[in-house]
């Protein structure tokens, strides 16, 4: 679970962002990635533009390589989904797919980015039933709160869906990332 090694291997970057840092002076981005690599449930709050996507991408790619497990990312914005897929593809990582009401189901992916409304889709449920889920990621996690202006009713069912998908087994790690707390 060497976060720096995985950063170099998957993204050819020599170090994590230096800011923001925790009280001990460590990169928060690196700290979040390390927790993700350990399979911990976590909430990561980082300012806009400080690399939150990398915080789930490195653990997802590492997990898939080791176990074949899929990471499902629930994201509220079609443009954000497309941007994340394009960003990975620009770095040569082509194992990510986005699904929203405008796109069809991918054949194979290591990282699957979906809109919360897709959890109602029978075809998505069938695909997920055929895959081991290694982790769930709530991107823009502030959208889970029904108190905010960004709330969408389908977020009410995310927790129930994850629990149902786990069945009698342990719930896979859940990573919530946001810049808005």
């Amino acid at each position: 679970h060497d976060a720096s090694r995985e950063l170099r291997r998957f993204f050819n970057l020599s170090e994590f962002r230096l800011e923001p840092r925790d009280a001990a002076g460590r990169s928060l981005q690196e700290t979040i990635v390390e927790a993700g690599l350990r399979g911990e449930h976590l909430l990561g709050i980082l300012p806009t533009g400080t690399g939150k996507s990398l915080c789930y991408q490195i653990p997802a790619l590492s997990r898939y390589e080791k176990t074949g497990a899929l990471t499902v990312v629930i994201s509220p914005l079609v443009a954000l989904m497309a941007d994340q897929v394009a960003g990975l593809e620009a770095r040569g990582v082509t194992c990510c797919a986005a699904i929203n009401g405008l796109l069809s189901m991918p054949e194979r992916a290591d990282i699957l980015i979906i809109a919360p409304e897709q959890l109602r889709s029978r075809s998505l449920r069938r695909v997920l039933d055929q895959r081991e889920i290694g982790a769930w990621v709530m991107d823009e996690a502030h959208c889970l709160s029904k108190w905010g202006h960004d709330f969408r009713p389908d977020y009410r069912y995310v927790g129930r869906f994850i629990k149902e998908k786990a069945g009698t087994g342990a719930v896979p790690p859940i990573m919530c990332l946001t810049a808005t707390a």
Side-chain angles (χ1 to χ4, degrees), residues 90-179:
R91 293 194 169 274
V93 179
T94 59
C95 58
C96 182
I99 301 175
N100 56 58
L102 308 173
L103 301 174
S104 62
M105 197 69 61
E107 292 294 318
R108 193 84 179 145
D110 304 354
I111 302 171
L112 183 63
I113 305 173
I114 63 170
E117 292 80 10
Q118 290 299 310
L119 295 177
R120 290 186 271 132
S121 164
R122 287 190 179 126
S123 59
L124 176 72
R125 287 174 180 261
R126 283 193 298 274
V127 167
L128 293 181
D129 284 344
Q130 296 173 22
R131 297 288 305 271
E132 176 188 352
I133 306 299
W136 295 90
V137 177
M138 304 301 131
D139 197 9
E140 303 298 337
H142 63 277
C143 292
L144 290 166
S145 169
K146 63 182 178 180
W147 294 340
H149 71 281
D150 291 336
F151 179 71
R152 297 205 335 237
D154 284 283
Y155 277 105
R156 286 188 191 121
Y157 306 105
V158 171
R160 184 183 326 160
F161 183 87
I162 291 171
K163 190 171 181 175
E164 286 174 8
K165 179 74 178 103
T168 58
V171 172
I174 299 171
M175 179 184 287
C176 297
L177 298 169
T178 188

Side-chain angles (χ1 to χ4, degrees), residues 47-119:
T48 300
T50 55
K52 287 182 293 298
S53 296
L54 196 74
C55 291
Y56 76 76
Q57 291 167 349
I58 291 173
L61 295 169
S62 180
R63 183 179 303 107
Y64 178 79
E65 188 175 82
K66 290 176 176 112
T67 68
L70 174 70
T71 295
V72 179
V73 180
I74 299 175
S75 180
L77 303 170
V78 173
L80 180 59
M81 292 180 201
D83 186 55
Q84 290 174 347
V85 172
L88 284 168
E89 288 175 346
R91 293 194 169 274
V93 179
T94 59
C95 58
C96 182
I99 301 175
N100 56 58
L102 308 173
L103 301 174
S104 62
M105 197 69 61
E107 292 294 318
R108 193 84 179 145
D110 304 354
I111 302 171
L112 183 63
I113 305 173
I114 63 170
E117 292 80 10
Q118 290 299 310
L119 295 177

Side-chain angles (χ1 to χ4, degrees), residues 29-63:
Q29 187 185 44
E30 183 174 10
T31 301
I32 292 169
V33 169
E34 288 173 349
L37 287 170
R38 289 190 302 269
E40 296 176 13
H41 297 293
L42 63 98
L43 169 63
I45 303 171
L46 294 173
T48 300
T50 55
K52 287 182 293 298
S53 296
L54 196 74
C55 291
Y56 76 76
Q57 291 167 349
I58 291 173
L61 295 169
S62 180
R63 183 179 303 107

